[in-house]
Amino acid sequence: MAKTWNGLETKEVMMTNQKWWGDYEGVGFPNLVASQQFDKEHLLTLFQLSKVLKRNVPKGTRQDWLKGCTCLNLFSEPSTRTRGSNEMSEGRLGAAKISFDNDQFSSAVKGESKTDAGLAWHAMEVDIIVMRHKDENAALDVARCLSHEENPPAVINGGDGKGQHPTQALLDLFTIFERFEKIDNLTIAMVGDLLRGRTVRSLAYMLSKFTGVKIIFVSSRFSKMGQDVKDYLNEHGVIWSETENLVEAARQSDVVYMTRPQLERERNLIKRWLMRRANRNLTMTKIIAEQMPMSSIIMHPFPRNEEIETDVDSNERAWYFWQMRNGVYIRMAIMLIIGNPTKAKELLAQAG
């Protein structure tokens, strides 16, 4: 018998009319495992729904649109903002939520594989799994495994090692869209540890869906963006360049996206020392911020170390705390699309 949430038919029936995003490596909607699953239309629709949810479910309010839906937040790597904003979005939409972090993830300590964990929670009838894992393609592997099961839960990638973080890229792009009311023809500088940072990888993939975008990769020689991302941008006709000069990049950019050095992902102690030393030249200061165009913004996925000085926080170009707030609404939109697409369509129709 078909499982129902709020009297609605099961996911498989409801989702035949619309694909809210596409496939990646044989895994598709409702799983969200990689940035490459989205095209421009998918993204703009998601942004529109996020705007509607901002108006309809503001702070201090709650809806029952996901009543009967159980969300599992399975984080085997540390997380603060991603886990917190997922729990907030699930709660505001009325879903039941279960959360485990690294210290509580005893089954992993006992040697359970990530795919067995997915199968176990499927047996306990969870509807959505948000997972963070140290292994690249972890969410993809679990989603692929569960695809052979009847009525499997949707799997959302909350960060997979040095691989991707698509929901972070979605909230980043939504923030840019809110600020400029477009993404086409913007110049975005990505600064810091581009080799090990998954947020910039996911953001670069999504930016390729828009016209006239230019990307400036700003990093030391120890932290350059991976060739796989550059090849992808070349295939999609995106103009990109590389530099170690933050000041020059900041002066010509609409968005400066700062990142911290991912020292925990580099085992070589000499390289870690060199990364830390090189990163001193990639610090956003008040002086550099004032040289940026007045309409430009500074972003950061956080946590920050020393790459943005705290006196930049008061600059009107600093948008990173607004960026964090958007994480709740973009994740609400994702959850609603997966758990109650009929309601998502209704809200979009009302918004016109």
Side-chain angles (χ1 to χ4, degrees), residues 241-295:
S241 59
E242 287 183 309
T243 182
E244 296 186 13
N245 192 323
L246 173 57
V247 176
E248 288 303 315
R251 286 174 177 167
Q252 58 185 296
S253 297
D254 300 294
V255 179
V256 176
Y257 190 97
M258 303 293 298
T259 66
R260 68 179 177 87
Q262 305 266 325
L263 299 175
E264 72 276 13
R265 301 195 187 282
E266 179 54 67
R267 296 182 178 181
N268 186 301
L269 293 179
I270 295 176
K271 285 187 178 180
R272 289 178 66 172
W273 180 82
L274 291 170
M275 284 169 58
R276 187 181 290 109
R277 182 178 179 183
N279 205 61
R280 295 172 187 167
N281 297 322
L282 300 175
T283 300
M284 176 59 68
T285 65
K286 188 175 181 179
I287 294 173
I288 296 175
E290 290 295 340
Q291 297 181 59
M292 293 172 57
M294 285 299 299
S295 61

Side-chain angles (χ1 to χ4, degrees), residues 96-148:
K97 56 185 184 292
I98 307 167
S99 297
F100 290 94
D101 61 26
N102 194 44
D103 294 330
Q104 300 169 319
F105 201 16
S106 63
S107 60
V109 174
K110 295 172 184 175
E112 183 177 59
S113 69
K114 54 183 177 288
T115 50
D116 275 358
L119 290 167
W121 286 105
H122 169 48
M124 288 183 272
E125 299 186 311
V126 300
D127 301 294
I128 299 173
I129 299 175
V130 183
M131 64 177 295
R132 170 169 292 186
H133 201 278
K134 63 181 178 60
D135 294 341
E136 293 185 37
N137 295 318
L140 174 65
D141 293 341
V142 172
R144 186 176 284 144
C145 172
L146 292 175
S147 68
H148 302 292

Side-chain angles (χ1 to χ4, degrees), residues 192-233:
D193 191 354
L194 310 183
L195 177 63
R196 302 164 191 84
R198 57 194 171 207
T199 62
V200 286
R201 292 173 57 83
S202 286
L203 183 57
Y205 286 131
M206 285 191 186
L207 285 169
S208 71
K209 312 304 178 181
F210 294 87
T211 303
V213 168
K214 297 179 181 178
I215 302 176
I216 306 173
F217 295 129
V218 187
S219 70
S220 72
R221 61 189 179 92
F222 306 106
S223 303
K224 289 188 175 183
M225 177 60 78
Q227 190 60 45
D228 57 335
V229 174
K230 296 173 185 175
D231 290 343
Y232 187 90
L233 296 177

Side-chain angles (χ1 to χ4, degrees), residues 152-190:
V155 179
I156 299 175
N157 183 358
D160 59 352
K162 294 187 290 185
Q164 287 206 44
H165 196 343
T167 63
Q168 177 69 46
L170 287 169
L171 75 91
D172 294 338
L173 213 56
F174 177 46
T175 302
I176 296 170
F177 185 76
E178 274 202 318
R179 173 63 183 87
F180 297 99
E181 298 183 343
K182 67 171 187 175
I183 296 172
D184 291 335
N185 301 312
L186 294 179
T187 298
I188 292 89
M190 299 183 183

Side-chain angles (χ1 to χ4, degrees), residues 75 77-87 132 302-303:
F75 282 69
E77 276 195 326
S79 174
T80 304
R81 278 151 296 277
T82 300
R83 175 176 164 176
S85 63
N86 272 296
E87 291 181 355
R132 170 169 292 186
F302 269 54

Side-chain angles (χ1 to χ4, degrees), residues 41-94:
E41 183 180 352
H42 295 146
L43 293 167
L44 294 178
T45 300
L46 187 60
F47 298 161
Q48 178 65 18
L49 182 58
S50 300
K51 284 186 174 183
V52 173
L53 290 169
K54 271 192 170 184
R55 294 194 299 267
N56 285 270
V57 198
K59 179 182 178 181
T61 64
R62 184 179 184 274
Q63 299 289 345
D64 289 328
W65 295 333
L66 290 186
K67 183 178 180 181
C69 174
T70 301
C71 300
L72 170 67
N73 302 296
L74 197 61
F75 282 69
S76 61
E77 276 195 326
S79 174
T80 304
R81 278 151 296 277
T82 300
R83 175 176 164 176
S85 63
N86 272 296
E87 291 181 355
M88 290 179 67
S89 65
E90 293 154 6
R92 287 198 197 179
L93 294 175

